[in-house]
Amino acid sequence: MSERSVRSAFRAQAGFCDTMDAPLTGRVAAGLAEALDDNTETGRRVLAWPGNPIEDALPLRLVGGLRALALRGDAPDLAALFEGRGDPVPTLKAALDKHDAALLPWLDGPPQTNEPGRSAALMLGLMLAAQTFGQPLDVFEVGSSAGLNLLVGRYAYDLGGTAVGPPSPVTLRPEWRGAPPEPVAVTVASTRGVDIAPLDLTDPADADRLRAYVWTDHPDRYERLDAAIAMFAADPPLLEQGDAANWVEARLAEPQPAGHTRVLMHSVVWQYLGPERQRRIAAALDAAGQRASPDRPLAWVRLEPDRDLARHQVHATLWPGGETHRLAASHPHGRWIEPVSR
């Protein structure tokens, strides 16, 4: 990519943040579009980015690193900038120069925004599977990050006034933009997840990394994140390190208990997998779907960005049959959900 394309990506990210109710974070991204130069190793690496900076979430990688410095108290001027004070361009130039070595590692991998609020959107797909098949769910998740959405069956939900889930230290109450769903009893019998580089929530550094990816505009997310981390620590779900496509192929090839619905679930991860892994996962799902039966059904539930509609969408595909349902549009962090009218 050209330097011009990279700078445009930071401006585009600023626009995305503005539309997602995060103007303070957007102001930092826009400032970076002007502040980046080749005087630092970080600047040189960013401006010569070899891949697609939007698909690689390059702006959010660097914003996360800067946010981590601010949260640690290592950069008071940055902390003020994330609160909306100060001139972005000179502040960011100074931070890039002073903290060059600390920022470089943040470019090595995509953001791990392990947002528990996404479970509210994913729950719509689980509710459809539970309503359709009337069975407990065995949930597999790819791109699990630290595994907080593997707690999907342990959170409580208020979906437009419809209560779902057990009593829980975490209750998800997205702004509901439409008719509330019909109550559905959802039993998540098991969860199991994979990530190429899972975070370890028993490591304070990894927990701090998650906090750094929370946008400064949304302080409620910090409280929810801390409560979810405490839930995870009390009873950790099974989270493995591995390649998503290899893992899905292996899991879907395992014998499925009769009377259980198998669910593959993911949120805001598909773009990071690349075309080959996407193809393999879709092929494994199609093959498993051909084997599905009313006693051993399969569901594919996902919250992913739709480039054509410029919104994140919740879809669920159910087998037998392979019918895909578009269930809702959603804020990428689950702040609001707009169900599809039926």
Side-chain angles (χ1 to χ4, degrees), residues 48-138:
W49 195 254
N52 186 311
I54 291 292
E55 291 182 0
D56 295 342
L58 176 62
L60 293 181
R61 298 185 193 206
L62 186 52
V63 170
L66 292 164
R67 182 64 178 150
L69 292 171
L71 289 173
R72 286 201 300 264
D74 295 343
D77 289 348
L78 269 181
L81 184 63
F82 277 102
E83 293 171 0
R85 295 181 281 116
D87 188 336
V89 175
T91 300
L92 290 166
K93 280 184 175 293
L96 289 164
D97 182 64
K98 182 177 180 180
H99 302 285
D100 191 16
L103 290 169
L104 269 174
W106 289 82
L107 303 178
D108 291 339
Q112 293 195 320
T113 308
N114 197 194
E115 172 52 56
R118 290 175 178 160
S119 283
L122 294 167
M123 177 52 68
L124 297 180
L126 302 190
M127 290 170 68
L128 178 64
Q131 182 181 47
T132 302
F133 301 120
Q135 299 174 350
L137 311 178
D138 294 321

Side-chain angles (χ1 to χ4, degrees), residues 2-14 27-49 53 57-66 78 81 87-100 103-104 106-107:
S2 68
E3 177 179 321
R4 181 179 178 181
S5 297
V6 170
R7 294 188 191 277
S8 294
F10 278 84
R11 296 187 186 101
Q13 183 62 58
R27 184 168 176 259
V28 174
L32 284 167
E34 309 303 325
L36 285 161
D37 57 38
D38 60 3
N39 292 328
T40 64
E41 183 63 28
T42 298
R44 289 190 291 272
R45 185 173 173 192
V46 169
L47 293 174
W49 195 254
L58 176 62
L60 293 181
R61 298 185 193 206
L62 186 52
V63 170
L66 292 164
L78 269 181
L81 184 63
D87 188 336
V89 175
T91 300
L92 290 166
K93 280 184 175 293
L96 289 164
D97 182 64
K98 182 177 180 180
H99 302 285
D100 191 16
L103 290 169
L104 269 174
W106 289 82
L107 303 178

Side-chain angles (χ1 to χ4, degrees), residues 132-190:
T132 302
F133 301 120
Q135 299 174 350
L137 311 178
D138 294 321
V139 176
F140 298 148
E141 184 189 34
V142 294
S144 293
S145 186
L148 294 181
N149 285 305
L150 292 172
L151 304 177
V152 62
R154 301 189 218 169
Y155 297 141
Y157 303 85
D158 179 347
L159 305 179
T162 297
V164 181
S168 174
V170 173
T171 298
L172 302 178
R173 295 184 180 88
E175 176 191 340
W176 197 261
R177 301 179 176 179
E182 294 295 322
V184 177
V186 178
T187 300
V188 177
S190 66

